Amino acid sequence: MTNRLAATAKGLCLAVAAALAQDKPFDSLALAQDKPLFSTRVEGVRVDVLVTRQNRPVLGLTAADFELRDNGVPQQIELVGLEQLSLNIVLAFDLSDSVQGARLDELRRASEALLKTLKPDDRSALVTFSHAVTLRCGLSLEVWCVHDALGSIEADGETSLVDGTYIGLIVGESELGRSLLMVFSDRFDTASWLSPERVIETAKRSDVVVYGISAGTGQSRFLRDLSSTTGGRMLEGRTTDLASIFLSILNEFRQRYVLTYTPRGVSNTGWHQLQVRVKRGNPSVKARPGYLTGAQ
Amino acid sequence: MWPITAVLIALLLTTASNITPLAARQEQASAKLAPAIERLAQWIEAVRSHQVGEADVQAVIVASWSHVELSEMFPLLEVLLELVDREASESLRPRLSKFSQPAVRRPSAEEIALLRGMAFRDWVRADPNRLLIRGGLLHADIARLVKPSVPTFVPQPARGRAGRIGRSVRERVVARAPDADYRGMEYGLVHWDYARMLLSAVAHDPFADPVVRLWYRATAAYLSGAQFFGEAKPHFEYALTLFPSDAHLLFSHACMQAAMASPGVQEFVNATPLPGGVRFDVSSARTHLRNAEELFRKALDADPRMVEARIRLARVRADLGRHEEAARLLTEAAPFATDPVMAYYLRLFLGESAVAIGQQDVAQTSFQHAAELFPSAQTPRVALSQLARSLGNGAGAHAALGPLFALPADAPDRYDPWWDYHRGEGRYSDALFSDLYRLLERPSQ
């Protein structure tokens, strides 16, 4: 299901967001298909795009500079100004045994450095996972919540990377705006219930962009595949340079273009392959490879 | 490439050892026998005094002896047993050859007199089985509780045909990887081998058999539950040669095979390069799942009442893509899954298979039942959330996680039985050891 833009008044968006936050009993969940997430006047698809040349972001492009095809059909693009959409930054951190000590300290420092660069209307959230996944702070403008939570976290247990990442995706969808999920892990998954395929399937229905940060002896294939599916990247970082990695990710995310369009000439269910290119100069373009809409 | 057996992780390495000329061996053997007899006396005393289930001073002392010292001592144990119990000695002899150079000559008359003096200790003479059983338990307690350090293994470059020179000495090598964090390779804990060697020499009798059987069940559960797969693999192999139709051993081995098929193990093995041409002895997920399926079926043939074996067999079939079979098996087992943890697993697996075959309503009901059994467990919430999300219900996906989000990180009742699923019978290893020690307290026949 695509993330439908709310083109209504801000008040309605807030009301809808408030409804999402209610603790709805699980046994009253409806399994109706395609239940709208937000009230809309205009339905559209949003695609986060990173344009680089020689590893440097290309700035100053307009909608006219892009060409976008949905399942091979050219689409009419609108370019959303980045200042019109707030950022939702969801941090999902591995707190298994192996993150104890210096690695956890560096994780805290890197997170604090990141939080300091957030703008007043950016939201942040913190999800941690050992074998247990915990929402430390939901998405909010209150940076202090994440700051305080970082001070109290401890590392202990196994690694539910897949479940933790899934929950990070869901948290990232809980507010309007552009959502960035940064997943840090130094290990492979050892404790999750969900399969990697299920979570990647979820990501195909979501606008959340995932960046994975691996700091261990082996890179998680799940995290790599998930990052690629969402148009993000997988980075490997030593414990000592996490702060610069976190900042570079946020900076890169801020410099992405947000293209929107209303799909025309294509089915409204199933997998949609996306092709995005810049018409001039042939720079490198990174965007999600597609999206999934409709029920499974 | 060196043939290796490894799992989360164990490596079996075939190495080469030099052959010493025969005359030199005889002279060396003679010089070694006197201390070896003394050591045997100390060992017998340690076995007699050791408090089973404890890392006591006897266990610590024996743990400090090297593999060489112990391997020189055990052939004398064979001689000692021959003096009192030919059957036990003959049972021990073939197993000793794996661990020691066989004695190149018989002990002298004086040495035999010394041994005979030991042999006439009432305690050994009255019940040689008891020596073997308690000796096995001593070494198992060393492996499990004392956990002596073992030397690091460094693979040597292969030389000669198939990398072997002369006679080979098999040694087990394991790779340590707590929480899939590779820490290096080291030699296996040889005390497990000693324990098996001694217990497998026990002559059959109404007292010994249940003790040995329960010992294998408890130790196999412990090893596989702790994911010491490299140690557990030979353990199961030995155990099932002694008790091929034991439902619990078959079940426990099946649980380990399923654990080895799990994504955590498979991804770790595939993504972790080992040096020197060494490779893990881990097969594909499909192979391990098929092994698990066969073993669960054998366990059920041996004991059709094992509800957990049915539930796990269903899970294995689901993992093999046979969801309709799995759902059918789980539905049939449901009335008998009265234990809350078994009912929890059943509901989760039934839900998962229902999702796979497009029965969303059944899936939701099953996951909800699981959530009701363990209200603070995260797995059913995650499952319900993902189910909703897959149907395009983003709000429902978030709402399903609401109870989970409301829990503090250190909530005492956050336990989720799913976290222990791949421990198999390891969940009961403490209780099994308690049963074993109670059995030992009974007077022997």
Side-chain angles (χ1 to χ4, degrees):
Chain A
M1 187 179 88
T2 61
N3 189 8
R4 297 184 173 94
L5 287 177
T8 54
K10 194 176 179 184
L12 183 57
C13 293
L14 286 174
V16 172
L20 280 176
Q22 285 173 6
D23 187 6
K24 205 168 174 182
F26 67 87
D27 62 2
S28 69
L29 278 180
L31 291 182
Q33 298 177 7
D34 268 345
K35 195 163 189 172
L37 188 61
F38 306 106
S39 298
T40 62
R41 273 195 354 215
V42 173
E43 295 186 3
V45 178
R46 190 173 73 200
V47 185
D48 261 72
V49 180
L50 178 68
V51 182
T52 58
R53 185 177 286 117
Q54 292 175 341
N55 291 321
R56 290 176 174 275
V58 174
L59 303 177
L61 299 177
T62 66
D65 292 313
F66 288 92
E67 180 184 285
L68 187 151
R69 289 173 182 266
D70 184 324
N71 275 346
V73 179
Q75 302 293 324
Q76 184 66 41
I77 303 169
E78 291 177 14
L79 190 67
V80 178
L82 298 182
E83 65 279 3
Q84 295 178 32
L85 291 172
S86 56
L87 288 191
N88 301 321
I89 313 296
V90 181
L91 306 176
F93 290 164
D94 181 346
L95 286 190
S96 59
D97 268 339
S98 53
V99 181
Q100 289 175 6
R103 194 160 276 175
L104 182 56
D105 291 340
E106 181 59 24
L107 197 57
R108 286 195 182 101
R109 276 194 287 273
S111 304
E112 294 293 350
L114 183 83
L115 292 175
K116 283 178 183 167
T117 66
L118 295 187
K119 296 176 181 173
D121 59 350
D122 291 337
R123 295 186 189 85
S124 57
L126 177 62
V127 173
T128 63
F129 54 90
S130 53
H131 46 280
V133 184
T134 306
L135 178 66
R136 303 280 175 167
C137 294
L139 272 174
S140 82
L141 299 171
E142 312 291 344
V143 177
W144 60 262
C145 178
V146 176
H147 171 81
D148 285 356
L150 285 168
S152 65
I153 54 175
E154 291 177 1
D156 183 33
E158 295 190 41
T159 308
S160 287
L161 169 63
V162 176
D163 286 355
T165 302
Y166 168 78
I167 289 177
L169 279 172
I170 298 300
V171 171
E173 291 183 329
S174 62
E175 293 287 347
L176 294 174
R178 297 173 62 211
S179 292
L180 166 66
L181 172 60
M182 292 172 55
V183 183
F184 168 85
S185 179
D186 69 344
R187 288 296 160 251
F188 306 106
D189 191 293
T190 57
S192 286
W193 165 257
L194 293 175
S195 67
E197 293 74 26
R198 286 273 168 88
V199 178
I200 290 174
E201 176 88 359
T202 300
K204 288 178 181 175
R205 298 172 180 278
S206 174
D207 284 345
V208 178
V209 179
V210 179
Y211 278 72
I213 305 106
S214 167
T217 53
Q219 196 182 82
S220 164
R221 196 172 91 173
F222 158 70
L223 213 47
R224 193 184 67 227
D225 291 348
L226 180 68
S227 303
S228 174
T229 296
T230 63
R233 285 203 294 141
M234 182 77 189
L235 293 96
E236 283 194 49
R238 294 188 309 273
T239 299
T240 52
D241 60 5
L242 279 182
S244 63
I245 289 173
F246 281 21
L247 291 172
S248 73
I249 289 172
L250 182 59
N251 197 44
E252 182 176 292
F253 191 66
R254 289 195 192 282
Q255 290 172 333
R256 296 169 78 111
Y257 295 91
V258 179
L259 310 182
T260 67
Y261 69 97
T262 301
R264 304 242 187 268
V266 293
S267 164
N268 61 358
T269 58
W271 173 250
H272 293 246
Q273 185 178 24
L274 291 175
Q275 294 162 297
V276 183
R277 58 179 285 269
V278 172
K279 293 173 186 173
R280 293 180 292 114
N282 201 29
S284 173
V285 176
K286 187 164 186 58
R288 59 173 48 244
Y291 64 94
L292 199 55
T293 187
Q296 262 179 276
Chain B
M1 178 181 288
W2 294 97
I4 301 294
T5 298
V7 159
L8 216 64
I9 291 289
L11 304 168
L12 173 68
L13 174 67
T14 300
T15 63
S17 68
N18 293 323
I19 296 295
T20 312
L22 182 60
R25 278 163 49 204
Q26 286 176 329
E27 195 175 309
Q28 288 171 5
S30 174
K32 287 175 186 173
L33 274 178
I37 290 180
E38 174 63 29
R39 196 171 302 284
L40 178 63
Q42 292 171 355
W43 183 83
I44 290 174
E45 182 56 34
V47 168
R48 194 184 69 82
S49 310
H50 171 59
Q51 179 64 40
V52 291
E54 303 278 340
D56 58 12
V57 64
Q58 285 77 21
V60 171
I61 288 171
V62 175
S64 69
W65 299 345
S66 69
H67 170 49
V68 171
E69 288 167 336
L70 285 164
S71 65
E72 286 168 358
M73 179 204 80
F74 279 121
L76 296 180
L77 175 63
E78 181 200 340
V79 174
L80 177 67
L81 288 171
E82 199 172 88
L83 294 172
V84 298
D85 186 333
R86 181 169 293 273
E87 185 182 352
S89 166
E90 286 176 355
S91 185
L92 187 62
R93 186 174 305 129
R95 288 158 183 88
L96 274 177
S97 64
K98 280 192 176 183
F99 305 101
S100 57
Q101 296 281 359
V104 296
R105 67 168 180 86
R106 293 281 297 174
S108 68
E110 286 152 333
E111 287 155 343
I112 289 179
L114 271 172
L115 286 173
R116 196 180 291 276
M118 279 192 267
F120 288 115
R121 282 179 186 264
D122 291 342
W123 188 74
V124 175
R125 189 182 184 191
D127 192 350
N129 267 350
R130 186 169 51 174
L131 171 67
L132 291 167
I133 289 172
R134 290 186 61 86
L137 263 78
L138 168 66
H139 286 283
D141 284 342
I142 290 171
R144 190 168 67 96
L145 304 171
V146 178
K147 297 179 186 174
S149 61
V150 289
T152 301
F153 170 74
V154 178
Q156 300 300 314
R159 290 182 291 170
R161 187 169 59 86
R164 304 181 185 203
I165 297 179
R167 186 176 168 186
S168 66
V169 175
R170 283 190 178 277
E171 298 193 25
R172 190 171 65 259
V173 179
V174 303
R176 296 291 176 203
D179 194 32
D181 177 15
Y182 175 68
R183 302 278 176 89
M185 294 183 283
E186 60 192 27
Y187 288 98
L189 268 173
V190 72
H191 291 280
W192 286 117
D193 302 82
Y194 292 141
R196 284 192 291 271
M197 174 188 76
L198 292 163
L199 285 163
S200 62
V202 168
H204 293 293
D205 73 32
F207 171 74
D209 281 359
V211 170
V212 174
R213 184 187 290 260
L214 186 51
W215 181 86
Y216 269 106
R217 190 180 162 196
T219 48
Y222 162 73
L223 287 171
S224 58
Q227 298 204 325
F228 294 151
F229 297 141
E231 307 283 9
K233 188 181 177 193
H235 209 67
F236 278 118
E237 287 168 0
Y238 275 117
L240 287 169
T241 58
L242 295 176
F243 309 104
S245 302
D246 187 284
H248 289 286
L249 286 171
L250 289 163
F251 171 80
S252 194
H253 193 189
C255 290
M256 188 182 83
Q257 290 290 324
M260 290 170 70
S262 67
V265 172
Q266 290 290 313
E267 189 176 23
F268 168 78
V269 166
N270 290 330
T272 304
L274 294 175
V278 172
R279 60 179 171 81
F280 291 105
D281 183 17
V282 177
S283 302
S284 68
R286 194 160 192 86
T287 298
H288 285 295
L289 287 170
R290 285 189 168 144
N291 293 343
E293 181 182 23
E294 183 184 346
L295 287 161
F296 280 130
R297 282 194 296 117
K298 284 182 179 175
L300 285 166
D301 287 343
D303 186 355
R305 299 164 301 172
M306 290 185 86
V307 176
E308 187 170 355
R310 287 189 195 280
I311 293 169
R312 287 178 179 265
L313 175 60
R315 175 66 176 180
V316 164
R317 287 182 174 163
D319 286 341
L320 286 166
R322 287 144 56 189
H323 290 283
E324 292 189 355
E325 276 183 60
R328 197 164 45 244
L329 196 56
L330 289 165
T331 304
E332 288 168 359
F336 306 101
T338 53
D339 173 81
V341 173
M342 291 305 110
Y344 178 79
Y345 289 151
L346 188 145
R347 293 296 169 192
L348 285 178
F349 300 159
L350 186 57
E352 186 70 5
S353 284
V355 169
I357 57 181
Q359 295 177 349
Q360 277 85 12
D361 288 347
V362 172
Q364 182 177 5
T365 302
S366 293
F367 291 145
Q368 285 177 341
H369 283 164
E372 288 162 10
L373 286 165
F374 287 87
S376 298
Q378 77 186 26
T379 296
R381 311 289 176 182
V382 170
L384 282 164
S385 173
Q386 203 278 327
L387 176 62
R389 191 65 182 88
S390 71
L391 296 172
N393 186 352
H398 194 277
L401 295 172
L404 185 65
F405 290 166
L407 287 173
D410 57 355
D413 56 348
R414 270 208 73 171
Y415 174 64
D416 186 341
W418 170 248
W419 295 334
D420 280 339
Y421 178 73
H422 281 304
R423 292 188 60 209
E425 274 220 323
R427 305 186 326 269
Y428 315 124
S429 63
D430 286 348
L432 289 170
F433 277 112
S434 296
D435 290 344
L436 175 65
Y437 302 148
R438 267 196 297 278
L439 200 58
L440 282 168
E441 287 167 7
R442 283 171 26 199
S444 56
Q445 301 301 316

